[in-house]
Amino acid sequence: KKVKKTSANMTKTTKTTHIVKTRKFMTNRLLNRKQFVVDVLHPGKACLTSKQLTTKLMEMYKVNDPNTVYVFGFKHLYGGGKSTGFALIYDTVQDAKKYEPKFRLVRKGILKKVEKSRKQIKGKKNRMKIRRAKGKVNPGKK
């Protein structure tokens, strides 16, 4: 597979005709990341996987660590041929751990999923409801 760079925000592979474009690029200094919308053109073919998209974006934006690139929310156009999603590139892995939701960190393999039974979770929720209700005054009673 040969990758040919066609512009600053667009790559095209010569073997497979997947074109990756970015738009609405923004550098978010408050969250230490770059964020943008990703358009993938793939006429007559299946969309790229998130790992493939991550490697493409790493090439485009010269990023060394794949744990700082997060790709999500892809919707496929009716009729195929185009997919649109969102991507975030953090400055460091520590920034990603600080600001990314836990489920995305689990997907990346940075955090481990805590396995609890459904009954434990519901029991804890109900105990907390009772604990919160004890502090309230019931105005209906005389």
Side-chain angles (χ1 to χ4, degrees):
K1 258 190 211 179
K2 232 180 186 180
V3 175
K4 183 170 54 172
K5 200 153 195 170
T6 54
S7 80
N9 65 351
M10 186 170 117
T11 61
K12 182 178 180 179
T13 57
T14 53
K15 194 172 184 182
T16 59
T17 55
H18 290 95
I19 299 172
V20 178
K21 294 181 182 180
T22 61
R23 59 187 168 89
K24 295 187 179 179
F25 181 87
M26 181 178 136
T27 302
N28 190 335
R29 284 292 106 212
L30 292 173
L31 299 177
N32 297 324
R33 71 184 184 194
K34 299 175 192 94
Q35 56 194 45
F36 44 88
V37 174
V38 180
D39 291 325
V40 182
L41 300 173
H42 47 91
K45 298 202 172 29
C47 188
L48 294 170
T49 64
S50 58
K51 277 192 175 181
Q52 291 171 327
L53 275 170
T54 300
T55 54
K56 286 240 190 243
L57 292 172
M58 284 173 60
E59 289 172 10
M60 287 170 63
Y61 289 98
K62 296 175 181 70
V63 179
N64 297 327
D65 192 2
N67 288 330
T68 59
V69 181
Y70 292 84
V71 182
F72 59 94
F74 274 81
K75 304 278 184 195
H76 307 292
L77 194 70
Y78 180 73
K82 184 179 179 184
S83 302
T84 303
F86 205 71
L88 307 171
I89 300 176
Y90 285 93
D91 294 345
T92 63
V93 179
Q94 285 75 27
D95 291 331
K97 282 183 181 179
K98 187 175 179 182
Y99 297 117
E100 272 299 294
K102 298 280 187 259
F103 74 93
R104 279 197 211 128
L105 294 173
V106 169
R107 281 182 190 170
K108 275 278 190 193
I110 295 173
L111 291 181
K112 294 207 179 214
K113 185 178 179 183
V114 178
E115 295 290 335
K116 285 187 180 177
S117 72
R118 186 173 169 86
K119 189 163 185 163
Q120 281 179 324
I121 294 168
K122 289 188 172 288
K124 183 179 178 185
K125 176 193 67 129
N126 290 331
R127 285 193 304 275
M128 293 306 292
K129 279 169 48 177
I130 292 167
R131 182 175 283 164
R132 276 194 297 269
K134 283 185 180 175
K136 293 181 181 178
V137 177
N138 194 350
K141 279 190 170 179
K142 290 186 179 178

